[in-house]
Amino acid sequence: MSTPHGHRRPELIATIEDAVRDNGGRGQLLHQAIAARFGLNPTDMKCVDLARSEPRLTAGRLAEITGMSTSATTAVLDRMEKAGFIERVRDPDDRRRVIVASTGRREQELAAAFAPLADAMTAVLQSYDDDQLEVIAGFSLRVNELLRDLTRTLPGTPAGPLPGAAAAGGQSLTTRPAAS
């Protein structure tokens, strides 16, 4: 059966769907391996990203963003603090509030851990021309938006915007570590 777009379209769509699914799983495994280097787990590492990107982050806001319980949020913060990624500081405007602040002490190590991925991704992307990169960027942003919207429809998931949102409206949980 031929479609207006061509006979290969269903096969190409299936290939892309399989590749995106595989990418998600491989990304999870990579983040798990990197997190383990720091004595953390993937959720902890995503919370490290949030602590680096949202000013005046509180434990309550972290729980709201992630959908974690307060006890789970406390456990994550304890691990992040023990690993040297964050510190808890009193809010100067309200001494009852505690702000979760990135220490910045592990930035170089974090950048080094993700450098092979960043370098490999750059090499892959360099192989495409500008028009192809626009298509890839558009696809990636649309998939991220789709995932964000689908996640919000699941019971027990957070509804608020995530910090570090991309200019095009996407929301990022994988901000690039600062280059040193």
Side-chain angles (χ1 to χ4, degrees):
M1 173 179 182
S2 182
T3 66
H5 298 286
H7 67 283
R8 291 193 56 225
R9 188 175 182 83
E11 178 185 329
L12 289 170
I13 289 172
T15 298
I16 292 167
E17 289 172 343
D18 288 346
V20 168
R21 189 177 307 108
D22 188 47
N23 176 271
R26 291 179 189 279
Q28 280 289 103
L29 293 173
L30 176 67
H31 281 204
Q32 184 174 334
I34 290 173
R37 287 186 188 179
F38 295 98
L40 301 174
N41 65 49
T43 299
D44 299 341
M45 289 302 294
K46 293 305 173 190
C47 291
V48 166
D49 282 342
L50 292 169
R52 290 167 54 228
S53 64
E54 181 164 317
R56 304 180 60 79
L57 179 68
T58 64
R61 174 67 177 142
L62 184 60
E64 177 188 343
I65 293 168
T66 62
M68 292 188 295
S69 68
T70 53
S71 61
T73 301
T74 298
V76 167
L77 291 174
D78 288 345
R79 288 189 297 271
M80 290 168 53
E81 190 170 40
K82 182 179 177 185
F85 283 101
I86 61 112
E87 60 187 358
R88 294 170 171 127
V89 295
R90 292 267 174 223
D91 184 337
D93 300 329
D94 181 352
R95 301 287 296 156
R96 295 168 296 175
R97 253 173 56 143
V98 174
I99 304 293
V100 177
S102 173
T103 64
R105 292 193 305 257
R106 308 287 307 263
E107 293 297 315
Q108 286 183 324
E109 290 173 81
L110 197 56
F114 280 98
L117 173 62
D119 294 345
M121 286 294 295
T122 298
V124 168
L125 292 171
Q126 289 292 348
S127 70
Y128 294 97
D129 66 36
D130 288 353
D131 290 338
Q132 292 171 316
L133 289 173
E134 285 185 32
V135 171
I136 293 167
F139 171 78
S140 298
L141 291 170
R142 288 177 67 189
V143 168
N144 286 347
E145 183 176 343
L146 169 76
L147 293 173
R148 181 190 70 239
D149 291 347
L150 288 173
T151 300
R152 287 181 176 162
T153 67
L154 299 174
T157 56
L162 298 174
Q171 293 183 340
S172 174
L173 283 179
T174 55
T175 55
R176 271 186 194 255
S180 31

